[in-house]
DNA sequence: TGCCAATGTTAACACCGTTAACTTATAGCG
DNA sequence: CGCTATAAGTTAACGGTGTTAACATTGGCA
């Protein structure tokens, strides 16, 4: 029932893929169910067999986005705390820069308020979890000050999210002239978060 | 020609105000030119005498938002660097929390890409300028490390913007349980930014 | 006073999301 | 193997949208 081809093969997947391509190229405001259906060669109401409404489709795409983000973050090595933290921050920002339209859909807020679509919320939390785990490891290893975990992760997330959003929307004019901005920012934050025992011992360890 | 009342008084202002109210209450996606015109008691095409299209109206509203944000930031006192920095960060986040829908319009990115509407860009820069001036004062006074100004302001803006966006979209679950989150986050960043000479001398000066 | 330009009007076009009512093809079962 | 329930598609239609064209009206000014 779910695997074999009905009239058109699995429309659900086809719509999902096509819509994802449109979002990545032109943003979520360019998504039109009718246009999507016409492109695929199916009538518009057919889509309603697979998606409750336009918002649900967008939510599904946002879920894909969070899963892709999570995969990116998971690829960051666990090696020394400082590299791991900077690495995951860079990976996060780079994802946003690579997929600005998708990222905007994920965090647009206007699209879907939290609590409406549980699977979307879970996908977001799962991505955030990777970041939190990295911070927790660094903290547990004694590299970071023994501050509340929630405070540290919230700080880290705020920083990378804010930087992502500001850069992809062009609010930071000299972002191109300063390619190491993300790294500098992350380092700057770390200065305040590392334990005093680690101070001055690892500032230049990434450039041997 | 611009001041006296024509057929309906100054429609421009009336549309602007009404639209701003709608955005603040229901978000920019709830803006409908036809509905707006009907509410005001005028035909829909009449609006096109004052706004090129829907996007231009939204841009105008975003400009108002940036000006309101700027006013908020300007009210922060200049007194000691640490208080000024934390104060302006809190004021920024509080604005976003007070006007979530307006804030989303301003930074939605989907609404208007930079470069299209010069006045909108200028309004954004003007608001950002207040933040930059505060950082510059703190840096010039020797309170902060002598790092590049662009780096410091980008960091500060990223942090407060990220925190704003994440909280108003409900991504930080325990935001309510932690009302001092914004202050804690700002302090954490400051730890990494203050000059060593100022370290440990001002951590508790705000609670005498 | 008479004209021009600013400001409004109605009618219409081409979309859009969504629902209702109907048709078709498939999967599973007696 | 044939039948039927149902999943998956169809067309027609409703109400809404932004936007443009063509026309009407009003007010300020020469």
């Amino acid at each position: 029932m779910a695997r074999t081809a009905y009239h058109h093969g699995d429309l659900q997947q086809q719509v999902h893929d096509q819509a994802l391509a449109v979002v990545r190229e032109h943003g979520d405001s360019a998504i039109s169910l009718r246009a999507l259906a016409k492109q695929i060669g199916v009538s518009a109401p057919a889509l309603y067999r697979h998606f409750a409404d336009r918002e649900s489709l967008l939510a599904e795409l946002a879920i894909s986005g969070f899963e892709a983000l999570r995969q990116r973050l998971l690829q960051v090595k666990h090696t020394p705390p400082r590299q791991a933290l900077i690495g995951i921050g860079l990976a996060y920002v780079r994802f946003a820069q690579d997929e600005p339209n998708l990222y905007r859909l994920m965090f647009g807020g206007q699209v879907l308020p939290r609590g409406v679509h549980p699977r979307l919320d879970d996908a977001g939390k799962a991505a955030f979890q990777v970041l939190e785990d990295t911070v927790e490891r660094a903290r547990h290893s004694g590299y970071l000050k023994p501050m509340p975990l929630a405070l540290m992760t919230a700080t880290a997330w705020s920083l990378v999210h804010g930087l992502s959003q500001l850069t992809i929307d062009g609010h930071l004019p000299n972002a191109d002239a300063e390619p190491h901005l993300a790294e500098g920012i992350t380092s700057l934050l770390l200065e305040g978060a590392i334990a005093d025992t680690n101070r001055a011992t690892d500032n230049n360890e990434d450039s041997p």
Side-chain angles (χ1 to χ4, degrees), chain A:
Chain A
M1 57 166 189
R3 195 126 292 272
T4 68
Y6 267 77
H7 305 173
H8 271 89
D10 48 357
L11 224 187
Q12 166 125 17
Q13 186 67 37
Q14 209 167 336
V15 171
H16 183 283
D17 294 352
Q18 186 77 28
L20 190 57
V22 171
V23 164
R24 292 176 61 184
E25 250 192 286
H26 304 99
D28 60 82
S29 69
I31 287 283
S32 151
L33 297 191
R34 297 181 98 121
L36 227 40
K38 181 172 289 184
Q39 277 183 11
I40 296 176
V42 86
S43 75
L47 306 196
Y48 286 81
R49 298 290 171 187
H50 305 281
F51 303 95
D53 50 19
R54 202 187 102 112
E55 279 220 326
S56 295
L57 170 58
L58 291 181
E60 223 62 47
L61 301 181
I63 290 175
S64 297
F66 277 117
E67 285 170 351
L69 171 59
R70 180 166 174 272
Q71 289 306 319
R72 285 270 198 119
L73 299 185
L74 282 176
Q75 286 175 9
V76 177
K77 304 289 191 304
H78 286 183
T79 44
R82 184 184 179 85
Q83 277 88 338
L85 288 169
I86 292 187
I88 207 164
L90 288 181
Y92 189 103
V93 175
R94 211 171 286 133
F95 174 83
Q97 287 170 345
D98 289 347
E99 300 285 356
N101 287 322
L102 192 52
Y103 191 84
R104 270 191 281 262
L105 169 63
M106 293 156 61
F107 289 99
Q110 196 61 34
V111 180
L112 251 284
R114 301 292 103 172
V116 173
H117 201 304
R119 287 180 45 234
L120 175 58
D121 296 3
D122 292 347
K125 282 181 196 160
F128 173 62
Q129 190 64 46
V130 181
L131 201 150
E132 183 163 85
D133 289 348
T134 305
V135 173
E136 169 57 19
R137 264 194 301 275
R139 203 178 70 121
H140 187 264
S141 77
Y143 180 74
L144 298 176
K145 292 176 182 172
M147 306 183 82
L149 180 62
L151 175 63
M152 298 194 115
T153 53
T155 306
W157 198 12
S158 294
L159 192 69
V160 291
H161 172 64
L163 179 59
S164 297
Q165 185 111 12
L166 291 179
T167 54
I168 67 181
D169 286 348
H171 280 103
L172 297 178
N174 38 2
D176 325 78
E178 188 77 64
H180 299 310
L181 186 62
E183 195 169 346
I185 284 181
T186 315
S187 302
L188 180 53
L189 173 65
L190 274 183
E191 284 305 305
I194 57 179
D196 290 332
T197 35
N198 299 106
R199 215 172 278 282
T201 67
D202 64 350
N203 257 356
N204 288 1
E205 75 181 16
D206 31 38
S207 55

